[in-house]
Amino acid sequence: MKVIKRIAIAAFLFLGFNINASEKEIGLKHVFDIHAKCGAAMTVGDVPEGKRVMIPITGGKVDGGIEAEIIPGGADYQMVDTVSGRVSYEAVYTLLTDDSRFINVKNVGVSVNDSAGNYFTTSPKFEAPCDSKYNWLNSRIFICKPIGFEEGMVHLRVWMVE
C-alpha cells in the first residue's frame, strides 16, 4: 500500500499538479441531458441489504453536447431501505451516438427524503472509445440530477466537475 501511495505522490509531482485545493473552487459545467425510457419496475423482494428493485431501460436519447440514442437492454438496479426511505441506484446501459460510436454508462447514486429535504444525485461514469471525439468522457468526473419524471421516462441533467 505504501508503494502505491508513493507512486501516486510521485505522479502528481512529476506531472506538475498543484494539490492545494484552496486555490481554485470546484465548478460544474452542463454537458448534456439524458432522457431514459423505462419499463415497469420488477421487485425481486427483500434481500439482506433491503428491497431489490430492477427497472428495465428500454430506450431514450441524449441531447445537448452529445447526440445519442439509448440502446434497449440496460437496467437500473435499485436497493430500497424501507425503514429510512433511502434508495441506492446503479444503472447500466449503452449509448449509440449519431456518428455510430458506442458509449457504456454506469450511473450510481442515492436518493433520500429526510429532515434535510429531498436529495437525489447520481454520478455517471462513461466508457467511450479512445479513438473517438468522446474520449474526454473517460477522464472526467460527472454528476447528474433528475430534471423531470413522466410516465415511463426519467430526465437527467449531467454536469462535468471542473
Side-chain angles (χ1 to χ4, degrees), residues 8-54:
I9 291 170
F12 271 102
L13 296 174
F14 176 76
L15 295 172
F17 286 106
N18 182 349
I19 54 176
N20 185 353
S22 65
E23 291 183 19
K24 184 176 180 184
E25 294 296 318
I26 293 175
L28 298 176
K29 177 183 176 185
H30 173 242
V31 287
F32 48 82
D33 294 335
I34 298 172
H35 311 279
K37 292 181 185 175
C38 302
M42 295 179 252
T43 302
V44 173
D46 292 327
V47 297
E49 293 82 23
K51 184 179 294 285
R52 173 65 75 188
V53 176
M54 192 277 286

Side-chain angles (χ1 to χ4, degrees), residues 66-89:
I66 294 176
E67 301 296 322
E69 297 295 318
I70 299 172
I71 296 174
D76 183 5
Y77 301 94
Q78 302 179 1
M79 185 63 66
V80 180
D81 181 334
T82 56
V83 175
S84 71
R86 181 181 188 276
V87 180
S88 298
Y89 303 91

Side-chain angles (χ1 to χ4, degrees):
M1 188 64 165
K2 287 182 182 180
V3 172
I4 293 172
K5 185 176 180 181
R6 286 182 186 158
I7 291 170
I9 291 170
F12 271 102
L13 296 174
F14 176 76
L15 295 172
F17 286 106
N18 182 349
I19 54 176
N20 185 353
S22 65
E23 291 183 19
K24 184 176 180 184
E25 294 296 318
I26 293 175
L28 298 176
K29 177 183 176 185
H30 173 242
V31 287
F32 48 82
D33 294 335
I34 298 172
H35 311 279
K37 292 181 185 175
C38 302
M42 295 179 252
T43 302
V44 173
D46 292 327
V47 297
E49 293 82 23
K51 184 179 294 285
R52 173 65 75 188
V53 176
M54 192 277 286
I55 300 175
I57 299 173
T58 61
K61 68 177 183 171
V62 176
D63 59 24
I66 294 176
E67 301 296 322
E69 297 295 318
I70 299 172
I71 296 174
D76 183 5
Y77 301 94
Q78 302 179 1
M79 185 63 66
V80 180
D81 181 334
T82 56
V83 175
S84 71
R86 181 181 188 276
V87 180
S88 298
Y89 303 91
E90 184 173 350
V92 180
Y93 53 98
T94 301
L95 311 177
L96 176 60
T97 65
D98 60 353
D99 58 346
S100 301
R101 302 306 297 256
F102 293 103
I103 300 172
N104 293 322
V105 182
K106 182 177 182 182
N107 195 2
V108 298
V110 64
S111 70
V112 66
N113 192 1
D114 58 18
S115 60
N118 188 10
Y119 181 86
F120 189 154
T121 304
T122 62
S123 181
K125 182 176 180 182
F126 300 95
E127 185 180 74
C130 293
D131 66 345
S132 73
K133 66 182 183 181
Y134 310 104
N135 184 39
W136 63 276
L137 292 167
N138 297 317
S139 303
R140 302 294 187 271
I141 301 294
F142 301 89
I143 63 166
C144 69
K145 286 186 161 288
I147 55 172
F149 297 95
E150 56 190 83
E151 184 67 32
M153 291 286 294
V154 61
H155 305 278
L156 303 168
R157 178 138 300 151
V158 180
W159 293 273
M160 179 178 68
V161 178
E162 295 185 309

